[in-house]
Amino acid sequence: MIRISIITITFNAARSLQRTLDSVACQSWPHIEHFIIDGASKDDTVAIAQRYKAQSPHQVLITSEPDKGLYDAMNKGLQRATGDYIVYLNAGDTLHAPDTIETVVSAINSQNITDKSQKPAVVYGDTAITDDDGRFLHLRTHRPPEKLTWRSFKKGMLVCHQAFYARLDIARRFPYNLQYRHSADVDWCIRIMKEADRLGLPLVNTHAVLADFEEGGDTTQHHRASLLERYHVMSTHYGSIQTFLLHCWFVVRAVFQRLLKL
């Protein structure tokens, strides 16, 4: 049976954590391990996690210790996970429905591949944006393409990190690059998809909303720094000239869209 590792990174996340934990606890797919990697929170985050662990039907592992930031903590989860696929679901983010993990597993099994080494490298889907009370606002502006490749992210991060399920044995070869503070997830996804292309492995679209993402996350709060990092990530993977020309087009498109609204 396919086992899914869910990694939740927390730091002083008592306000928003419970909703995330509840969305995992209610999953119909039984083969789930849930790692909560806490950065030595000073609020009730760890106590909330401990209560969840005592009641959850899934395997829950909790650590709380200082780290070097979000992506350092994500690397800890990447190394400790033991499932077949891994996904990151941080405090405030939720799995979209009680059968979300079952939907992901069904997409994997639909390929009818028995050789583990040939199973999909990535399973992906859509993302809903919610307010800080978990209420639906709208689907994410960037929508997942029908057929995802590593080149797809030239147009932006078309698949949200929380809706990107990576095969663990592949993902572990590519730890998050700690030189990035806000956009290492973009780089990580591209590197995994590049490896999938090299190995000839499929990237499977579930055609479903997989995650709810709370508006106002890290990249929203640090928008300018995030954009600069993403530009560097894109230049690294797609070349500086092509990245520059693409961003010129992004600016022209944005201006044109504003003019249409006048």
Side-chain angles (χ1 to χ4, degrees):
M1 302 298 287
I2 292 173
R3 196 162 187 242
I4 305 295
S5 297
I6 299 174
I7 311 297
T8 297
I9 308 302
T10 61
F11 180 69
N12 292 339
R15 180 192 65 81
S16 56
L17 179 60
Q18 189 63 58
R19 186 166 66 249
T20 303
L21 303 181
D22 290 345
S23 79
V24 178
C26 73
Q27 289 301 301
S28 56
W29 186 254
H31 306 291
I32 294 173
E33 64 173 11
H34 191 183
F35 282 85
I36 301 169
I37 312 292
D38 181 70
S41 290
K42 300 295 190 284
D43 63 2
D44 291 333
T45 297
V46 176
I48 292 170
Q50 293 287 2
R51 289 196 294 271
Y52 161 72
K53 179 179 180 179
Q55 300 172 359
S56 175
H58 309 300
Q59 181 183 10
V60 178
L61 302 98
I62 303 168
T63 62
S64 183
E65 60 189 16
D67 55 48
K68 299 175 184 176
L70 175 64
Y71 296 119
D72 179 46
M74 286 185 169
N75 278 338
K76 291 180 181 181
L78 185 61
Q79 293 305 314
R80 294 170 185 173
T82 64
D84 298 295
Y85 286 80
I86 187 169
V87 68
Y88 287 86
L89 193 74
N90 292 335
D93 305 329
T94 58
L95 298 170
H96 184 67
D99 64 349
T100 291
I101 299 299
E102 195 165 349
T103 296
V104 170
V105 173
S106 294
I108 297 167
N109 289 335
S110 70
Q111 302 299 298
N112 295 317
I113 300 171
T114 56
D115 183 349
K116 283 190 175 183
S117 68
Q118 297 303 307
K119 285 188 178 295
V122 173
V123 179
Y124 65 98
D126 213 336
T127 302
I129 304 300
T130 69
D131 63 16
D132 56 8
D133 291 319
R135 292 188 291 261
F136 175 83
L137 296 175
H138 54 83
L139 289 176
R140 191 166 175 262
T141 302
H142 287 309
R143 306 297 300 282
E146 177 63 28
K147 292 190 179 298
L148 181 69
T149 76
W150 69 270
R151 295 177 179 84
S152 299
F153 277 27
K154 288 179 183 180
K155 300 177 182 178
M157 195 175 186
L158 299 187
V159 178
C160 190
H161 197 214
Q162 292 85 344
F164 186 95
Y165 288 70
R167 223 175 75 185
L168 181 60
D169 61 329
I170 296 173
R172 191 170 278 156
R173 302 174 200 170
F174 303 100
Y176 290 87
N177 187 339
L178 299 188
Q179 74 170 322
Y180 298 121
R181 296 187 60 191
H182 310 293
S183 300
D185 51 346
V186 183
D187 173 67
W188 184 76
C189 290
I190 294 172
R191 287 190 288 155
I192 288 172
M193 291 188 290
K194 276 187 169 181
E195 182 68 0
D197 184 65
R198 187 184 73 81
L199 297 173
L201 298 175
L203 312 179
V204 177
N205 190 346
T206 61
H207 299 99
V209 176
L210 299 181
D212 294 343
F213 178 74
E214 185 177 338
E215 192 171 50
D218 179 74
T219 54
T220 303
Q221 296 171 25
H222 303 93
H223 187 62
R224 179 177 172 79
S226 174
L227 288 176
L228 289 172
E229 281 194 358
R230 288 192 182 203
Y231 188 92
H232 184 269
V233 169
M234 290 179 69
S235 295
T236 299
H237 290 289
Y238 305 124
S240 56
I241 295 175
Q242 190 169 63
T243 298
F244 175 76
L245 293 174
L246 279 167
H247 278 75
C248 288
W249 163 241
F250 294 159
V251 172
V252 170
R253 183 180 61 185
V255 171
F256 183 69
Q257 288 174 341
R258 287 183 183 181
L259 289 173
L260 287 177
K261 294 178 180 178
L262 293 178

